[in-house]
């Protein structure tokens, strides 16, 4: 870059300097020629010169020509008659001879055409710029002679050399400034690109693009004006953006009005693992401002579907619960099988049959209720799992036999609904176990009558103080001790805000608390707590 900018500056400087020098030289030559012609015209119009030529008063003409040449700083003033025979000349030996002997120009334009003109010629007094004018008798217009005024080109060239010295000095200074500017610009440019060479920048760009496209999380970057500068393939897929319509160069507000990147530009604070809704999907979003010094020049956001994390989490939780359930049921049924075997051995067959019937009866009742009231397999499976979970904890989950949940809207995401209801039941089971121990119960009732879906979960816990009823829905806030707490009710609030539902919390007189969840069958914006 230094070499390129230096050569470019040198080329421009040399071209400009050469043109300026040439133009200056031609201008001086033209100016001297015009001056010589004007002096020649003035001398030719002088009455003393006209009378001297008519009378061929050679001494008077020579005195007059010498005085005028000295006055006008001319090299010479030569006066000739109508045949270009010298009547006045600085060298007396050339008087009486033809002016053509000097420069081969007899002054035909002046003597024949009557025009003044400029000529450059090598004469007896050296190379000069000459102006020639005809001597015309006033009134008659008769051409009776010619005046030639010359200025030495040595004087002109001396003047040009003086001007060129200054000009070339300026050109040299400009060339030096160009080189220094090239070094400064190249240095600042290299610092701006962290000392990398163009080939390294190209390779890093290719690596960055390959990295962005290989990341499974969606990534979008915007500049300080909120215009999208980078977007990877995963972002197109996650946000269901049309792949044939590029979004780079467009404002982020047109693509994702609810993105929150503009607020990150303003605040300059990073956000990590924020749960927001983008294009109708719940996302886990990270936002990180990009800074240059103390100035924010953009924001990079990465996001992924919350369902993916939930799916992994649910799978791990289900595996753990499944293992724990199998372990407890194995232990429980092992004891019951031993009891049944003992009853048969002692001949108490009726008691053995009664024990078997009671064991099967509870499950049959629950299965019959779920098949009739909750035809959706996802919700029914969740409730059956929570029933088994309650038995494992030594508790009972009682589902109101008058419950029904048949009119579920198609657009309602079942996985999220199961997550919300499951969180409320889990919290109720945990609160009941900690407060009453084994033998406690949790009650659940459901109805889809009217324009809302209503789920009511009641526990036998210690209750929730009124001042805590809003706070428990904040992320990380929990009434239970231990890490990784305070997320279940927060997820409930996030879902309600998106779907336009609401939840109420109240303590019941017999002890415990009741959570009532209201979900509109048609989604609304802005749920309430």
């Amino acid at each position: 870059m230094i070499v390129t900018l230096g050569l470019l500056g040198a080329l421009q400087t040399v071209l400009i300097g050469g043109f300026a020098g040439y133009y200056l030289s031609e201008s001086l030559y033209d100016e001297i020629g015009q001056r010589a012609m004007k002096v020649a015209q003035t001398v030719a119009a002088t009455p003393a010169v006209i009378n001297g030529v008519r009378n061929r008063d050679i001494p008077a003409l020579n005195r007059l020509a010498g005085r005028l040449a000295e006055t006008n700083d001319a090299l010479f003033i030569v006066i000739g008659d109508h045949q270009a025979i010298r009547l006045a000349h600085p060298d007396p030996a050339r008087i009486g001879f033809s002016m053509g002997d000097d420069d081969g120009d007899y002054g035909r334009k002046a003597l024949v055409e009557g025009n003044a003109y400029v000529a450059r010629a090598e004469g007896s007094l050296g190379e000069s710029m000459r102006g020639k004018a005809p001597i015309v008798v006033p009134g008659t217009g008769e051409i009776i002679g010619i005046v030639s005024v010359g200025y030495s080109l040595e004087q002109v060239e001396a003047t040009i050399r003086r001007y060129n010295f200054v000009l070339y000095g300026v050109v040299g200074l400009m060339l030096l400034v160009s080189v220094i500017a090239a070094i400064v610009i190249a240095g600042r440019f290299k610092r701006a690109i962290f000392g990398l060479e163009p080939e390294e920048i190209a390779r890093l760009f290719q690596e960055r693009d390959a990295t962005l496209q290989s990341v499974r999380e969606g990534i979008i970057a915007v500049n300080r004006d909120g215009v999208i500068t980078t977007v990877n393939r995963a972002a197109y897929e996650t946000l269901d953006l049309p792949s044939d319509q590029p979004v780079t160069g467009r404002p982020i507000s047109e693509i994702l009005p609810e993105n929150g990147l503009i607020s990150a530009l303003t605040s300059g604070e990073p956000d990590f693992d924020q749960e927001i809704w983008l294009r109708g999907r719940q996302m886990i979003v990270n936002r990180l401002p990009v800074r240059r010094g103390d100035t924010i020049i953009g924001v990079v956001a990465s996001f992924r579907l919350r369902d993916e994390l939930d799916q992994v989490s649910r799978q791990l939780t289900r595996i753990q619960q499944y293992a724990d359930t199998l372990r407890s049921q194995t232990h429980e049924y092992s004891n019951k099988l031993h009891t049944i075997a003992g009853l048969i051995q002692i001949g108490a067959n009726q008691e053995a049959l009664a024990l078997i019937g009671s064991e099967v009866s509870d499950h049959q009742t629950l299965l019959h209720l779920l098949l009739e009231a909750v035809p959706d397999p996802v919700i029914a499976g969740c409730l059956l799992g929570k029933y088994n979970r309650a038995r494992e904890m030594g508790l009972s989950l009682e589902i109101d036999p008058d419950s029904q949940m048949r009119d579920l809207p198609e657009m309602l995401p079942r996985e999220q609904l199961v997550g919300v209801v499951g969180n409320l039941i889990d919290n109720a089971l945990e609160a009941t176990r900690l407060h009453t121990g084994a033998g406690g119960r949790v009650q659940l009732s459901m109805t889809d009558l009217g324009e809302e879906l209503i789920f009511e979960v009641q526990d036998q816990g210690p209750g929730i103080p009124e001042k805590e009823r809003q706070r428990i829905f904040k992320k990380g806030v929990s009434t239970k001790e231990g890490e990784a707490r305070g997320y279940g009710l927060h997820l409930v609030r996030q879902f309600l805000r998106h779907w336009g539902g609401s939840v109420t919390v109240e303590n019941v007189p017999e002890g415990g608390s009741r959570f009532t969840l209201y979900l509109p069958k048609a989604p609304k914006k802005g749920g309430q707590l």
Side-chain angles (χ1 to χ4, degrees):
M1 182 173 291
I2 294 175
V3 173
T4 302
L5 292 178
L7 290 177
L8 182 61
L11 179 62
Q12 291 177 339
T13 303
V14 170
L15 290 177
I16 294 174
F19 174 77
Y22 173 78
Y23 182 76
L24 176 63
S25 300
E26 293 300 317
S27 297
L28 286 175
Y29 283 128
D30 183 67
E31 181 182 353
I32 294 298
Q34 293 298 318
R35 181 180 179 184
M37 186 176 67
K38 294 295 183 184
V39 172
Q41 289 175 324
T42 302
V43 172
T46 303
V49 173
I50 295 174
N51 291 331
V53 172
R54 294 179 65 179
N55 299 324
R56 300 187 72 83
D57 187 353
I58 293 176
L61 289 174
N62 276 279
R63 288 194 299 273
L64 182 60
R67 188 169 62 251
L68 290 174
E70 184 178 356
T71 301
N72 291 279
D73 293 328
L75 178 64
F76 61 84
I77 295 181
V78 177
I79 302 174
D81 60 11
H82 66 285
Q83 294 181 344
I85 301 300
R86 298 188 188 95
L87 300 177
H89 192 279
D91 185 1
R94 293 184 174 272
I95 296 175
F97 294 94
S98 174
M99 295 174 66
D101 296 343
D102 209 7
D103 57 5
D105 183 6
Y106 291 91
R108 292 185 179 86
K109 285 186 178 182
L111 293 174
V112 177
E113 300 174 7
N115 297 324
Y117 64 97
V118 177
R120 180 175 178 176
E122 180 80 31
S124 59
L125 298 178
E127 189 176 12
S128 61
M129 186 67 73
R130 305 175 181 192
K132 299 188 178 185
I135 301 174
V136 181
V137 177
T140 64
E142 179 185 2
I143 298 175
I144 61 174
I146 183 174
V147 174
S148 176
V149 178
Y151 283 88
S152 174
L153 290 183
E154 292 183 358
Q155 297 175 345
V156 178
E157 291 171 355
T159 303
I160 292 175
R161 284 194 297 270
R162 186 171 66 253
Y163 286 152
N164 282 344
F165 178 78
V166 177
L167 176 64
Y168 292 146
V170 174
V171 168
L173 181 61
M174 290 176 61
L175 180 59
L176 179 62
V177 170
S178 298
V179 174
I180 295 175
I183 295 174
V184 172
I185 292 173
R188 295 192 62 181
F189 186 77
K190 194 164 186 177
R191 286 194 298 272
I193 60 176
F194 304 102
L196 299 173
E197 295 297 332
E199 295 81 3
E200 295 174 316
I201 296 174
R203 186 179 67 254
L204 288 176
F205 176 80
Q206 293 173 341
E207 292 176 355
R208 188 213 68 160
D209 188 63
T211 302
L212 284 177
Q213 301 306 328
S214 64
V215 173
R216 295 187 60 185
E217 289 190 350
I219 295 177
I220 291 181
V222 300
N223 60 17
R224 69 180 70 186
D225 299 320
V227 176
I228 298 175
T229 58
T230 302
V231 58
N232 68 346
R233 188 182 302 109
Y236 278 94
E237 297 173 353
T238 304
L239 300 174
D240 285 335
L241 299 175
S243 58
D244 57 341
Q245 297 180 7
V247 299
T248 54
R250 297 172 59 184
I252 186 67
S253 57
E254 293 182 5
I255 309 301
L256 298 173
E258 65 276 49
N259 62 88
L261 291 177
I262 302 301
S263 61
L265 274 174
T266 305
S267 66
E269 297 296 329
D271 293 326
F272 298 104
D273 296 329
Q274 296 296 312
E275 299 174 8
I276 65 173
W277 289 83
L278 294 176
R279 297 178 71 88
R281 296 184 174 186
Q282 195 171 14
M283 305 279 185
I284 305 297
V285 179
N286 298 299
R287 306 185 191 96
L288 185 65
V290 180
R291 299 177 181 272
R292 179 183 295 162
D294 296 331
T295 305
I296 300 175
I297 62 174
V299 177
V300 176
S302 64
F303 47 88
R304 60 194 180 275
L305 288 172
R306 183 181 175 276
D307 295 343
E308 295 179 358
L309 295 179
D310 286 350
Q311 183 178 5
V312 174
S313 178
R314 284 196 299 271
Q315 288 176 349
L316 294 176
T317 302
R318 287 171 182 171
I319 291 173
Q320 182 65 39
Q321 291 178 350
Y322 184 65
D324 293 341
T325 301
L326 287 178
R327 188 182 308 111
S328 63
Q329 288 183 351
T330 299
H331 181 72
E332 180 182 358
Y333 281 105
S334 177
N335 292 331
K336 291 181 179 180
L337 286 175
H338 291 158
T339 303
I340 293 172
L343 290 173
I344 294 174
Q345 289 177 358
I346 64 175
N349 296 332
Q350 294 300 324
E351 289 78 359
L353 291 174
L355 181 58
I356 295 172
S358 65
E359 184 65 24
V360 175
S361 175
D362 293 341
H363 281 85
Q364 290 297 329
T365 301
L366 177 63
L367 289 175
H368 181 74
L369 172 62
L370 293 178
L371 289 175
E372 290 292 330
V374 187
D376 188 276
V378 176
I379 299 178
C382 172
L383 296 180
L384 184 58
K386 299 304 178 184
Y387 176 83
N388 292 328
R389 173 65 175 166
R391 293 192 59 183
E392 177 189 345
M393 298 171 65
L395 306 174
S396 62
L397 174 61
E398 299 179 357
I399 301 177
D400 188 346
D402 295 327
S403 296
Q404 71 172 28
M405 191 58 59
R406 298 188 183 93
D407 190 16
L408 288 173
E410 291 294 332
M411 65 184 70
L412 181 63
R414 302 299 193 266
E415 293 80 5
Q416 295 180 14
L417 177 60
V418 165
V420 169
V421 176
N423 276 321
L424 294 179
I425 296 175
D426 286 339
N427 287 343
L429 292 174
E430 187 71 15
T432 301
R433 183 184 66 84
L434 293 176
H435 187 66
T436 65
R441 63 178 182 171
V442 172
Q443 296 174 309
L444 169 67
S445 65
M446 305 172 289
T447 181
D448 57 1
L449 299 178
E451 299 298 324
E452 293 180 316
L453 307 177
I454 302 175
F455 295 86
E456 187 177 278
V457 180
Q458 180 175 325
D459 60 46
Q460 291 182 330
I464 300 176
E466 187 174 355
K467 62 180 181 180
E468 295 289 330
R469 292 177 188 175
Q470 290 293 330
R471 184 170 173 267
I472 58 175
F473 289 94
K474 293 182 180 181
K475 186 176 182 179
V477 176
S478 176
T479 58
K480 298 181 287 293
E481 297 181 356
E483 299 181 356
R485 297 283 190 176
Y487 290 91
L489 293 179
H490 171 70
L491 296 178
V492 171
R493 182 180 67 171
Q494 292 291 97
F495 176 74
L496 292 176
R497 282 183 174 177
H498 176 69
W499 195 258
S502 62
V503 62
T504 62
V505 184
E506 59 183 339
N507 291 336
V508 294
E510 58 269 26
S513 58
R514 180 188 296 122
F515 285 74
T516 305
L517 185 70
Y518 301 91
L519 286 176
K521 294 181 179 179
K524 302 176 183 178
K525 289 188 176 180
Q528 298 179 357
L529 294 178

